[in-house]
Amino acid sequence: MELEDFIKNYLGQNSLIDHSMLIKDLSLNLFHKLKVFFPELKKYDNKEDLKLLEYGALLHDVGVPFEKKMDKSHHKIGRDLILKNKILGLDETSNLIAANIVRYHRRALPDLKHKYYKMLNNKDRRKVDIFSSIVRLTDALDYNHFNMVDDFELKYDESSRILTIILSINIMLNIGFKELLDKKKELLEKTLDIKVLFN
């Protein structure tokens, strides 16, 4: 299925499309800012890998419209939609990576006990870890779909391995926002072996 058809068929609501486009932009932005401090990420700075991050971010909420009807969480529905329909232009492994990024944008962290994660080799699991940790965090930045965060800056203290994300809004003014960010940063912290703070 063409990427555009995924968006049209499964993200038909304008608010979902706007949110998904913002998460795509924020995710690519975060990736490029992170690679300045984490040289390992530079090997993913290529057209094929960045397409996986972009597609995972764009499609992270494709399962939302089916959540009530299927009585299943939308991150798993989204994974299954991608695995069933396949994104045109991606090979089998790339579709599996994109599906896993969607799967891990919320709730459980990647785990070898999970069937579709286990199907990937170590190199591709690492891509899932990195890209889903980015989508997970940027999704939290637009948790209410109000487009409150459109940019941010990063500061990194290498000696203490503390990454500070400086937001363009005061998170303390938004009830529940800080708690959500603290929860959603866990995968990025684990993946890059760092501590993440917000300012």
Side-chain angles (χ1 to χ4, degrees), residues 6-24:
F6 269 101
I7 293 169
K8 184 175 70 178
N9 295 340
Y10 302 134
L11 290 174
Q13 304 168 36
N14 285 340
S15 62
L16 271 182
I17 293 173
D18 291 347
H19 169 70
S20 296
M21 295 298 281
L22 177 63
I23 299 315
K24 177 201 73 160

Side-chain angles (χ1 to χ4, degrees), residues 86-160:
K86 306 284 189 274
I87 304 168
L88 208 62
L90 297 186
D91 63 22
E92 196 71 30
T93 300
S94 295
N95 266 289
L96 189 55
I97 292 169
N100 273 290
I101 295 168
V102 169
R103 159 57 171 112
Y104 294 115
H105 86 273
R106 64 193 294 263
R107 301 276 176 91
L109 303 185
D111 194 306
L112 284 171
K113 292 183 287 190
H114 302 155
K115 174 183 174 183
Y116 297 110
Y117 183 69
K118 190 175 182 179
M119 289 169 68
L120 295 167
N121 63 32
N122 287 336
K123 186 178 70 126
D124 290 332
R125 279 187 213 124
R126 184 67 179 161
K127 281 183 202 175
V128 169
D129 294 348
I130 290 167
F131 292 159
S132 58
S133 73
I134 288 172
V135 174
R136 194 177 186 102
L137 185 60
T138 57
D139 185 39
L141 294 178
D142 191 42
Y143 76 107
N144 56 12
H145 295 207
F146 288 166
N147 291 18
M148 290 193 308
V149 176
D150 58 2
D151 200 11
F152 50 82
E153 294 302 323
L154 302 183
K155 280 194 337 194
Y156 183 57
D157 184 330
E158 194 170 358
S159 61
S160 61

Side-chain angles (χ1 to χ4, degrees), residues 11-99:
L11 290 174
Q13 304 168 36
N14 285 340
S15 62
L16 271 182
I17 293 173
D18 291 347
H19 169 70
S20 296
M21 295 298 281
L22 177 63
I23 299 315
K24 177 201 73 160
D25 293 342
L26 289 174
S27 293
L28 291 170
N29 189 0
L30 180 55
F31 171 82
H32 288 298
K33 287 179 177 178
L34 284 171
K35 77 179 182 192
V36 172
F37 304 113
F38 304 98
E40 174 206 356
L41 300 187
K42 290 178 182 174
K43 67 183 169 193
Y44 304 112
D45 190 10
N46 60 74
K47 189 178 175 184
E48 293 76 25
D49 285 336
L50 289 181
K51 187 187 289 185
L52 296 176
L53 174 58
E54 182 179 336
Y55 287 8
L58 270 173
L59 301 178
H60 75 281
D61 274 349
V62 292
V64 167
F66 306 95
E67 204 165 26
K68 286 182 183 166
K69 185 166 50 173
M70 297 179 72
D71 195 29
K72 190 176 180 181
S73 296
H74 74 262
H75 56 292
K76 291 183 180 177
I77 296 171
R79 173 202 63 200
D80 296 344
L81 285 170
I82 292 170
L83 292 176
K84 180 182 176 188
N85 296 292
K86 306 284 189 274
I87 304 168
L88 208 62
L90 297 186
D91 63 22
E92 196 71 30
T93 300
S94 295
N95 266 289
L96 189 55
I97 292 169

